[in-house]
């Protein structure tokens, strides 16, 4: 495996692929065609030197992924909106009047803040409260930290299992698999064809699912050390330490995505196993969408010639 620098995200009936400051979103339209939109996005880690420092960049990279994710989701959803001729509600009219052309940006900001607050509440605070109910029985702080971590992971798995019952989410997980397969195909020196992508793994070490699991595992280690008797102070510590844990987790994920070291591969296993919940095998039409997104922002032929000179690229693919 050789690092390519590209990454992606599944959206509604499509895939976004990003390479440096360029990103492209490919969507399978209702009429069967593929719509590709290419744009640029300069991350905060590039704009502000401080945001790019080790153990700091993880938080801002996560924020970048959320911003870009909201943009691409909005684009993909536009192809499947219902009731386009229906009258706007009072809330929509009020927001249009107050915010004007910035209404979409305001909505995105509100959704992002709400999502972060809910995620912290469900995955950081709730496990603490559940584990705290066992405080009278379990007197070891170390065991309590492990129990809290196990509960946190259990809630995450239950959440993924619950949303995967929705048809749209199931298809998104299939597109997620197609995204991983495309990147694995390239980074393992194969030409980007439907057949080669289908043969590639749907698991990838740089996946966001791996990041979340690493966060949960590292949080166990942190909370073993950070010991506070008061429940409210423990809750505050969980919230305050989120950026620190995210920063450490990002650095490991960054290392894992660039390394084939056996120890790093072993430590990456929990994230790869968890990806079995968030990725599914795609069909060929989904793979075609993923390939379209890659080719819009990444010259994979030049990459293969430089990193895998022995790979044969058929004549018709070089035209």
């Amino acid at each position: 495996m050789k690092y390519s620098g590209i990454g992606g995200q599944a959206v509604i009936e499509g895939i976004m692929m990003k390479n440096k400051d360029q990103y492209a979103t490919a969507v399978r339209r209702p009429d069967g065609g593929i719509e590709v939109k290419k744009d640029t996005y300069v991350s905060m880690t590039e704009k502000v030197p401080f945001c790019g420092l080790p153990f700091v960049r993880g938080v801002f990279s996560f924020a970048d992924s959320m911003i870009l994710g909201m943009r691409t989701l909005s684009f993909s959803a536009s192809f499947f909106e219902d009731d386009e001729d229906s009258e706007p509600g009072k809330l929509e009219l009020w927001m249009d009047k107050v915010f004007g052309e910035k209404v979409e940006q305001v909505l995105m900001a509100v959704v992002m803040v709400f999502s972060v607050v809910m995620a912290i509440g469900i995955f950081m605070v709730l496990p603490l409260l559940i584990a705290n109910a066992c405080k009278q029985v379990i007197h070891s702080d170390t065991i309590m930290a492990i129990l809290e971590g196990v509960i946190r992971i259990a809630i995450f798995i239950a959440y993924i299992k619950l949303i995967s019952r929705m048809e749209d989410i199931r298809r998104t997980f299939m597109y997620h698999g197609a995204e991983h397969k495309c990147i694995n195909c390239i980074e393992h020196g194969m030409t980007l064809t439907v057949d080669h992508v289908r043969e590639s793994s749907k698991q990838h070490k740089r996946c966001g699912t791996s990041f979340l699991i690493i966060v949960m595992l590292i949080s166990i280690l942190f909370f073993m050390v950070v010991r506070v008797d008061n429940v409210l102070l423990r809750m505050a510590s969980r919230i305050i330490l989120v950026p620190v844990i995210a920063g450490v987790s990002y650095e490991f994920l960054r290392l894992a995505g660039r390394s084939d070291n056996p120890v790093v591969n072993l430590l990456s296993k929990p994230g790869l196993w968890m990806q079995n919940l968030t990725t599914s095998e795609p069909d060929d039409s989904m793979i075609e969408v993923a390939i379209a997104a890659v080719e819009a922002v990444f010259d994979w032929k030049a990459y293969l010639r430089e990193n895998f000179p022995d790979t044969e690229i058929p004549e018709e693919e070089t035209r």
Side-chain angles (χ1 to χ4, degrees):
M1 186 274 292
K2 292 187 178 181
Y3 178 70
S4 65
I6 58 173
Q9 177 180 327
V11 295
I12 299 172
E13 291 299 324
I15 288 171
M16 180 274 290
M17 288 289 187
K18 187 175 186 294
N19 177 36
K20 297 179 181 178
D21 294 339
Q22 301 289 319
Y23 74 94
T25 309
V27 179
R28 179 71 70 178
R29 300 192 306 263
D31 63 7
I34 299 176
E35 185 81 16
V36 180
K37 180 183 178 182
K38 186 177 177 180
D39 209 336
T40 60
Y41 179 82
V42 181
S43 67
M44 286 182 274
T45 57
E46 294 180 34
K47 290 179 181 178
V48 183
F50 172 77
C51 297
L53 294 175
F55 300 103
V56 174
R57 56 192 171 193
V59 177
F60 294 98
S61 294
F62 179 71
D64 283 330
S65 67
M66 288 194 67
I67 294 170
L68 197 53
M70 290 295 296
R71 286 186 185 180
T72 53
L73 277 171
S74 178
F75 171 70
S76 64
S78 67
F79 292 94
F80 305 97
E81 291 176 348
D82 297 324
D83 302 323
E84 291 184 356
D85 298 327
S86 62
E87 291 292 325
K90 291 182 179 180
L91 179 60
E92 291 179 77
L93 292 173
W94 177 81
M95 293 192 71
D96 283 335
K97 182 180 179 180
V98 174
F99 299 108
E101 295 180 355
K102 295 183 178 180
V103 63
E104 187 173 339
Q105 296 178 355
V106 172
L107 284 172
M108 284 174 58
V110 170
V111 170
M112 284 175 57
V113 171
F114 178 77
S115 300
V116 170
V117 171
M118 287 297 294
I120 291 175
I122 294 172
F123 298 112
M124 299 304 286
V125 178
L126 181 59
L128 169 64
L129 297 177
I130 295 174
N132 193 63
C134 304
K135 188 72 174 177
Q136 301 300 323
V137 181
I138 302 173
H139 303 291
S140 169
D141 290 334
T142 299
I143 294 177
M144 284 293 292
I146 294 173
L147 176 62
E148 182 186 336
V150 170
I151 293 171
R152 184 172 294 114
I153 294 172
I155 291 175
F156 178 72
I157 293 174
Y159 170 76
I160 297 297
K161 285 284 188 181
L162 183 63
I163 65 171
S164 64
R165 291 176 173 269
M166 302 167 61
E167 177 61 25
D168 288 344
I169 298 298
R170 280 201 296 268
R171 289 188 62 80
T172 301
F173 285 172
M174 293 172 73
Y175 277 105
H176 191 192
E179 174 224 325
H180 284 187
K181 280 174 168 284
C182 267
I183 297 174
N184 275 320
C185 176
I186 295 167
E187 293 186 339
H188 286 81
M190 293 189 289
T191 55
L192 196 61
T193 65
V194 172
D195 288 340
H196 286 162
V197 172
R198 195 188 305 115
E199 295 170 4
S200 301
S201 173
K202 65 183 180 68
Q203 298 174 327
H204 198 283
K205 288 187 290 185
R206 295 200 307 273
C207 176
T209 303
S210 292
F211 173 74
L212 293 176
I213 291 301
I214 293 167
V215 165
M216 294 180 190
L217 294 175
I218 289 179
S219 69
I220 296 175
L221 301 177
F222 268 78
F223 299 147
M224 280 182 181
V225 178
V226 179
R227 300 181 179 183
V228 184
D229 291 331
N230 185 280
V231 176
L232 292 178
L233 289 177
R234 285 209 302 274
M235 289 173 59
S237 70
R238 273 40 177 179
I239 297 170
I240 293 171
L241 285 173
V242 165
V244 180
I245 295 169
V248 174
S249 301
Y250 176 81
E251 294 304 319
F252 174 78
L253 192 73
R254 196 170 185 271
L255 171 66
R258 292 165 166 78
S259 172
D260 254 343
N261 182 282
V263 176
V264 174
N265 288 341
L266 179 63
L267 294 174
S268 300
K269 287 293 184 183
L272 297 176
W273 292 333
M274 198 61 65
Q275 286 177 39
N276 289 322
L277 296 177
T278 61
T279 61
S280 300
E281 288 294 336
D283 59 34
D284 287 357
S285 67
M286 295 174 176
I287 293 174
E288 291 169 358
V289 173
I291 291 174
V294 171
E295 291 186 328
V297 294
F298 187 73
D299 187 349
W300 59 268
K301 304 178 193 70
Y303 166 82
L304 290 181
R305 292 190 189 101
E306 179 181 349
N307 294 279
F308 299 92
D310 294 334
T311 299
E312 293 184 7
I313 302 178
E315 194 67 30
E316 62 269 16
E317 292 186 25
T318 62
R319 294 172 185 167

